[in-house]
Amino acid sequence: MSGGEQFRSRWGLILATLGMAVGTGNIWRFPRIVATNGGGSFLIAWVVFLLIWSIPLMILEFSIGKRARKGTVGAFAMIAGPRRGWMGGWVALCATAIMFYYSVVAGWCLRYCFAALRGELTGADPARFWESYAGTYEAFFTHAAALSLAVVVVWFGVRGIEQVAKVLIPLLVVLVVVLAVRAVTLPGAAAGLEFLFRPDWAQLGDVRIWLQALTQNAWDTGAGWGLILTYAIYMKAREDVPLNACLIGFGNNSMSLLAGIMVLCTVFAVNPGAREEIVGAGNEGLTFIWMPQLFERMPGGGFFMVFFFLALTFAALTSLIAMIELVTRILIDAGWPRRRAVGLVALGGLWFGAPSALSLDFLHNQDWVWGVGLMLSGLFFALAARRFGLEKLRREVVNADGADLRVGRWWSFLVAVVVPIEAVVLMVWWLWEARGWDPAGWLNPLRPETVGTVLVQWAIALVALLALNRWLSRAGSSDREVAG
Amino acid sequence: MSALAIVTMLAICLFVWGGFTAFLICAIRSEGRKRLEKD
């Protein structure tokens, strides 16, 4: 069913899945969100949602992927019935739409990595450097370059994915640890640790802190995206599910914590007076405008800046590889040979990623629409599993022969009840918040981050998926084994 | 650093990093056991 492809070892699976989970969100979003949402209070809520969102969904994705041995469309058709293949189509669509602009982001990281290596950022005006690059044809070329790198890996199948993960992820960990150690040893870094970890008990009563913590888990760990399901197709038959899910969840959050320490200690040590401006600058502002400035003011900063952008590039590429594999897998399930499928995904990625490369507004729009769409993906996973029978899944797959941990009924309760509530609450909250960002035009579908643009794009997608459901379910569940 | 920040830092870091380490050790031991069974 997996076309003979399999991860050679447990470590290959774990490193590849960790590579999927650890992305730019760990490094550039987490530190900002912690800093602007109460520090230690946020971290407490964040750890709670690691346990009641990320890990239960990861266990679910691993078990569905392992059971179905099909991409998201075929898996949903098998688990929840052929009338629900469209839900797997939604999961795939969100991941694909994200892939289109994520390769642009990976291209940014690649560009800055080279810029740091060549010393282009030293003495340069970072804001001007960013503005002369982002949204230009240069950004299109780096998007193509990043996409090509990831496509080459997927071309070689699971072996390629495993080999690359075995090199890049340990390197990524070393880079982030070195940067974090450098940051905490800077004079003044203790203030950053204080800011990051001191809880404000009053803020724990603020529901926004909890919603932001849940959002960070939802966008950061990759749980409910369909990417873990895709890699689980290539698990060995007796491979453990629950312990691997815990490893990935805790591993991902470990990296976020290191990144938070790295960024915030650097900010507080080098430019504490501008900390509010820095953490309020957004993902791109923090990463591509402020961090180069901070590194430049640090002893040995040029060297550490290379490490930073290299780490960001590795994180972005390994996540991009997973997204490309998700789409490729669905085409393989429909009977396409891997090489032809990868070729089509590459062309599609190049073409549909171009608007995001050339327009930051378009990129932010897609990030907004499909970022919230991921919450619907999580809900669909939970609903599909309920349809199949959570106790059946727990007995036959999660706690099957080979499991290193036994998962109790608490998991079934979390997936059946808690995860759907979390998903719905998150979607409603984000859409409600969006009303306040643009009070006059919140329903305008042509503005980047409005309720209107979400509703219109989702409606088009859902109508198309429902109309194509029969074809999707049949194509996604094809038993044609195609070599190459 | 304040005592509260230190305690929270230790608790969060021990839980997250310690949790990861504990699960990793479990996985290493499990793989070792499986290899012995195969031999």
Side-chain angles (χ1 to χ4, degrees), chain A residues 10-11 43 47 190 193-194 197-199 201 243 246-247 250-251 253-254 258 261 402 404, chain B residues 1-2 4-5 8-9 12-13 15-17 19-20 23-24 26-28 30-31 33-34:
Chain A
R10 179 183 206 158
W11 309 116
L43 290 175
V47 163
L193 291 176
E194 175 80 21
F197 287 107
R198 192 188 64 229
W201 301 118
L243 179 56
C246 289
L247 257 174
F250 275 79
N253 282 31
S254 294
L258 280 170
I261 289 169
D404 292 322
Chain B
M1 278 178 77
S2 64
L4 182 59
T8 312
M9 179 177 72
I12 300 280
C13 292
F15 184 78
V16 177
W17 293 338
F20 175 71
F23 288 127
L24 186 60
C26 280
I28 292 170
S30 165
E31 289 302 292
R33 254 195 323 270
K34 285 172 185 170

Side-chain angles (χ1 to χ4, degrees), chain A residues 145-213:
Chain A
L147 189 63
S148 303
L149 285 173
V151 157
V152 163
V153 175
V154 177
W155 178 271
F156 287 102
V158 177
R159 288 282 157 88
I161 295 170
E162 186 169 1
Q163 297 287 28
V164 165
K166 281 180 172 175
V167 172
L168 292 191
I169 301 309
L171 277 175
L172 171 60
V173 172
V174 166
L175 288 170
V176 175
V177 167
V178 166
L179 286 163
V181 168
R182 170 72 278 214
V184 296
T185 54
L186 289 168
L193 291 176
E194 175 80 21
F195 187 78
L196 177 58
F197 287 107
R198 192 188 64 229
D200 178 347
W201 301 118
Q203 288 206 306
L204 266 180
D206 182 353
V207 74
R208 280 167 190 269
I209 303 296
W210 292 85
L211 290 166
Q212 286 285 7

Side-chain angles (χ1 to χ4, degrees), chain A residues 42-55:
Chain A
F42 174 90
L43 290 175
I44 292 167
W46 174 75
V47 163
V48 168
F49 287 116
L50 167 64
L51 302 175
I52 66 172
W53 169 273
S54 302
I55 287 177

Side-chain angles (χ1 to χ4, degrees), chain A residues 430-474:
Chain A
W430 274 106
L431 293 176
W432 184 260
E433 284 286 288
R435 287 187 68 210
W437 300 339
D438 191 355
W442 65 278
L443 267 180
N444 187 340
L446 299 176
R447 291 201 185 168
E449 288 168 339
T450 60
V451 176
T453 193
V454 168
L455 295 179
V456 166
Q457 293 189 57
W458 282 19
I460 293 170
L462 286 166
V463 164
L465 288 168
L466 284 163
L468 294 169
N469 180 67
R470 194 177 289 180
W471 176 80
L472 277 172
S473 296
R474 215 170 22 231

Side-chain angles (χ1 to χ4, degrees), chain A residues 179-343:
Chain A
L179 286 163
V181 168
R182 170 72 278 214
V184 296
T185 54
L186 289 168
L193 291 176
E194 175 80 21
F195 187 78
L196 177 58
F197 287 107
R198 192 188 64 229
D200 178 347
W201 301 118
Q203 288 206 306
L204 266 180
D206 182 353
V207 74
R208 280 167 190 269
I209 303 296
W210 292 85
L211 290 166
Q212 286 285 7
L214 175 54
T215 302
Q216 185 59 28
N217 270 285
W219 284 345
D220 187 355
T221 59
W225 291 42
L227 300 172
I228 296 174
L229 180 157
T230 303
Y231 279 173
I233 295 170
Y234 310 114
M235 287 170 91
K236 291 181 179 165
R238 290 188 76 243
E239 187 67 74
D240 162 270
V241 162
L243 179 56
N244 287 346
C246 289
L247 257 174
I248 306 305
F250 275 79
N252 175 80
N253 282 31
S254 294
M255 292 297 282
S256 289
L257 210 46
L258 280 170
I261 289 169
M262 168 190 38
V263 170
L264 289 175
C265 288
T266 302
V267 169
F268 273 78
V270 177
N271 197 350
R275 69 171 189 263
E276 281 184 25
E277 195 182 342
I278 293 171
V279 298
N283 293 338
E284 294 111 53
L286 169 70
T287 307
F288 300 112
I289 296 174
W290 279 105
M291 290 307 287
Q293 293 180 61
L294 295 172
F295 280 117
E296 215 177 323
R297 291 165 65 166
M298 187 197 292
F303 175 74
F304 291 108
M305 183 163 29
V306 173
F307 271 30
F308 176 76
F309 286 112
L310 205 53
L312 210 52
T313 304
F314 288 170
L317 281 176
T318 48
S319 299
L320 182 60
I321 285 166
M323 294 174 200
I324 292 171
E325 177 60 21
L326 181 148
V327 193
T328 301
R329 182 70 228 178
I330 291 169
L331 292 172
I332 292 173
D333 289 342
W336 288 53
R338 174 174 279 277
R339 302 221 161 141
R340 204 187 297 173
V342 172

